[in-house]
Amino acid sequence: MSDDLTIHDILIKDLPKHEAKTVRIKGWLYNRRHKGKLAFLVVRDGSQMCQATVFKGDVTEEVFELCAQKLTQESSIIVEGVVRADQRAPLGFEISVKNVVAVQIAQEYPIQPKEHGVDFLMNKRHLWLRSSKQWAMMQIRNEFLKATRDFFYDNDFTCIDAPIFTPSACEGTTNLFEVTYFEDKAYLSQSGQLYMEAAAMAMGKVYCLGPTFRSEKSKTRRHLTEFWMIEPEVAYATLDDIMVLAENYVSYAVGRVVEKCRPHLEILERDITKLENIKAPFYRLSYDDAVKYLKEKGMPFEYGNDLGAPDETAISENYDRPVFIHRYPTACKAFYMAPDPEKPHLALCADLIAPEGYGEIIGGSQRADDIDYLLKKIAEHKLPAEIFDWYLDLRKYGSVPHSGFGLGIERTLSWICKVPHVRECIPFPRLMERIYP
Ligand code: 4AD
Ligand code: MG
């Protein structure tokens, strides 16, 4: 095949579509080797990485010297060359270089291809994002979020953006971030749920997807102070209905990641068969049975408490797919949950526990629709009743049974990517002891 001389500006991921064409890639140098008359550049452009081979006879002397000697790690470069099939290359293709232009020769790059401590890397998060595993995780996050929006759009949900400044707590008062709001104070949203309940009465099926804030004083691998949550809310839906919605959504979104992000999962050395197995229906276990199981295992657990991380891990070990734990005691859950009419000390709620020890990724429930019950709960939780006036209006004007849930994006991604800590699953993590960069 003769070479086509037009230069095509392309993304590296599209190399396979340009065999034998002359292309131009705008990117950065990831790595470099040099052997006699050959220099091998590993170039990344954000879409993918590829090898660009420079043969001394094909380029000017200056360009060869640049490629063999001068280019430093992370120098910004524009590479022109011909796309050649190469079975050994990750994309099946590489570039035979005709010319390289250095846009900037990078100073000595602080992140070297060796082990660095996490603290060091977190301080260099603005650069660490360029490393291949971090890059792969952000690509997976992108696909997961797009799949999330597609799923809810295709299922007739309306996206309703919830406010971030709020006058009150939704998930309890212990982890609220207070901010000055002119002469007054406000709180950063812990959850968009209460607003979604209002919107569900207007639109039927709604969701919000955005950042939420909790001043968690816990330094665990599952906690961020700023995390993203998808919160669907459905009018006329029962607890059972939203468990079905949740399992269909999670299996769809995981399926999309498996379909579209295979190379990224491979970079992370993720066992993809484990993810291929994530298909609805998921398992269902009552809180009472979960407690029985923990007691049988000899775990120190007191009936009535919420499940802790070690409890969730012990339970998830029995399952190859996520498991719903439903009907926790009302006493350990939020004020807005509906009581089970058959056992009023239990709430019509469910948490979804991810496999492989990743713990709770979803919290959801049917919402209490009895106004007197809600007033009692608001008082019990010592919440300021006057601020919930608007919320209680929803129980006065055409109240219907309704349910919803919240899925933590980073918790879910840490499971999908099988990374130990949620902090790598968000571009710029906010933790109790980190707000830089
Ligand atoms: O169980 P939670 O607190 O539920 C709610 O906020 C409900 N209002 C949601 C709803 O029904 N609309 O939080 C939901 C999920 C958790 O299961 C977890 O995945 C995630 O949000 N999450 C966190 N993720 C990272 N860091 C934290 N500090 C988190 N707290 C909760
Ligand atoms: Mg929860």
Side-chain angles (χ1 to χ4, degrees):
M1 213 190 293
S2 73
D3 293 349
D4 168 2
L5 293 179
T6 333
I7 299 188
H8 304 266
D9 276 292
I10 66 158
L11 294 175
I12 294 174
K13 74 173 176 60
D14 295 328
L15 278 185
K17 295 183 205 152
H18 292 82
E19 184 171 6
K21 301 258 166 62
T22 303
V23 298
R24 184 188 291 125
I25 303 284
K26 296 176 175 166
W28 294 264
L29 183 74
Y30 198 70
N31 219 331
R32 173 168 71 74
R33 277 184 305 125
H34 161 222
K35 203 174 150 205
K37 292 184 170 156
L38 288 168
F40 302 96
L41 310 180
V42 179
V43 187
R44 53 168 203 89
D45 71 348
S47 80
Q48 255 299 353
M49 252 196 257
C50 71
Q51 178 163 288
T53 305
V54 193
F55 175 58
K56 200 168 180 182
D58 288 348
V59 295
T60 65
E61 219 157 277
E62 292 74 41
V63 168
F64 191 75
E65 197 190 326
L66 180 74
C67 296
Q69 311 288 349
K70 291 196 182 150
L71 283 181
T72 51
Q73 186 187 350
E74 285 305 315
S75 288
S76 33
I77 50 175
I78 298 174
V79 178
E80 282 169 22
V82 180
V83 180
R84 307 272 183 218
D86 180 349
Q87 302 242 295
R88 292 157 305 173
L91 293 168
F93 292 88
E94 63 156 40
I95 298 176
S96 280
V97 173
K98 289 181 166 176
N99 193 23
V100 174
V101 176
V103 178
Q104 194 241 342
I105 304 274
Q107 296 181 23
E108 192 182 345
Y109 195 62
I111 303 175
Q112 297 292 318
K114 63 163 195 184
E115 287 285 313
H116 290 285
V118 168
D119 229 38
F120 172 84
L121 291 168
M122 275 294 164
N123 281 330
K124 298 271 181 270
R125 182 62 173 168
H126 50 296
L127 303 176
W128 192 24
L129 280 175
R130 304 178 190 191
S131 300
S132 63
K133 286 195 173 168
Q134 303 303 312
W135 169 82
M137 273 184 266
M138 290 304 117
Q139 296 293 341
I140 290 168
R141 181 181 171 108
N142 180 49
E143 186 60 35
F144 184 82
L145 289 174
K146 176 73 168 79
T148 295
R149 292 213 186 264
D150 288 350
F151 177 86
F152 286 101
Y153 185 90
D154 293 345
N155 283 283
D156 301 313
F157 281 72
T158 304
C159 171
I160 297 286
D161 303 309
I164 284 174
F165 285 133
T166 60
S168 61
C170 173
E171 292 300 319
T173 49
T174 53
N175 58 15
L176 276 175
F177 273 114
E178 195 178 300
V179 292
T180 3
Y181 196 75
F182 304 102
E183 260 76 79
D184 214 336
K185 59 186 182 187
Y187 306 97
L188 299 182
S189 177
Q190 294 170 309
S191 158
Q193 178 195 321
L194 305 184
Y195 298 97
M196 290 308 103
E197 290 187 51
M201 301 304 136
M203 320 278 159
K205 300 206 262 182
V206 298
Y207 75 91
C208 61
L209 173 51
T212 42
F213 305 86
R214 301 203 187 165
S215 72
E216 308 266 15
K217 293 224 170 63
S218 38
K219 292 186 242 168
T220 78
R221 59 195 182 86
R222 295 177 180 183
H223 288 95
L224 294 162
T225 54
E226 177 176 332
F227 65 95
W228 281 60
M229 185 153 57
I230 160 88
E231 297 185 86
E233 191 72 33
V234 185
Y236 288 103
T238 60
L239 174 64
D240 282 340
D241 295 333
I242 56 126
M243 286 201 273
V244 172
L245 177 70
E247 65 196 356
N248 285 338
Y249 157 51
V250 171
S251 37
Y252 174 78
V254 170
R256 274 275 295 269
V257 169
V258 169
E259 182 196 334
K260 304 268 188 185
C261 298
R262 213 163 258 276
H264 311 88
L265 292 165
E266 282 164 6
I267 288 175
L268 299 171
E269 295 166 54
R270 179 61 163 123
D271 179 354
I272 298 174
T273 59
K274 289 245 167 35
L275 297 177
E276 283 169 337
N277 191 40
I278 305 306
K279 300 232 163 73
F282 297 163
Y283 301 99
R284 286 156 171 73
L285 182 68
S286 70
Y287 172 90
D288 287 3
D289 287 340
V291 173
K292 249 186 236 150
Y293 169 76
L294 292 173
K295 294 237 151 117
E296 278 163 23
K297 274 204 88 175
M299 311 255 313
F301 189 86
E302 210 170 300
Y303 187 94
N305 286 346
D306 205 348
L307 298 177
D311 310 315
E312 291 173 355
T313 301
I315 290 165
S316 77
E317 273 162 8
N318 295 328
Y319 302 97
D320 56 349
R321 270 175 277 153
V323 51
F324 287 107
I325 301 181
H326 58 87
R327 294 177 172 77
Y328 290 64
T330 55
C332 70
K333 288 289 184 188
F335 78 93
Y336 52 70
M337 292 183 180
D340 185 345
E342 279 159 32
K343 293 180 180 165
H345 70 287
L346 299 179
L348 291 175
C349 67
D351 283 359
L352 185 66
I353 313 299
E356 302 178 73
Y358 279 86
E360 178 198 332
I361 55 171
I362 284 183
S365 70
Q366 190 164 324
R367 320 309 189 184
D369 37 32
D370 175 343
I371 196 165
D372 295 321
Y373 179 83
L374 272 173
L375 280 167
K376 192 178 102 202
K377 281 285 165 185
I378 288 172
E380 267 175 37
H381 285 251
K382 300 196 172 57
L383 293 164
E386 58 299 347
I387 287 177
F388 288 98
D389 266 359
W390 70 270
Y391 181 70
L392 296 170
D393 271 358
L394 305 175
R395 274 62 177 177
K396 294 180 194 160
Y397 306 110
S399 183
V400 298
H402 60 288
S403 306
F405 65 83
L407 170 138
I409 301 294
E410 293 77 18
R411 290 250 188 114
T412 308
L413 287 171
S414 66
W415 158 53
I416 293 176
C417 297
K418 203 161 186 199
V419 290
H421 200 296
V422 287
R423 68 190 159 203
E424 288 180 45
C425 297
I426 187 163
F428 294 96
R430 298 294 173 242
L431 302 159
M432 188 183 165
E433 285 169 330
R434 174 166 300 280
I435 197 166
Y436 176 92

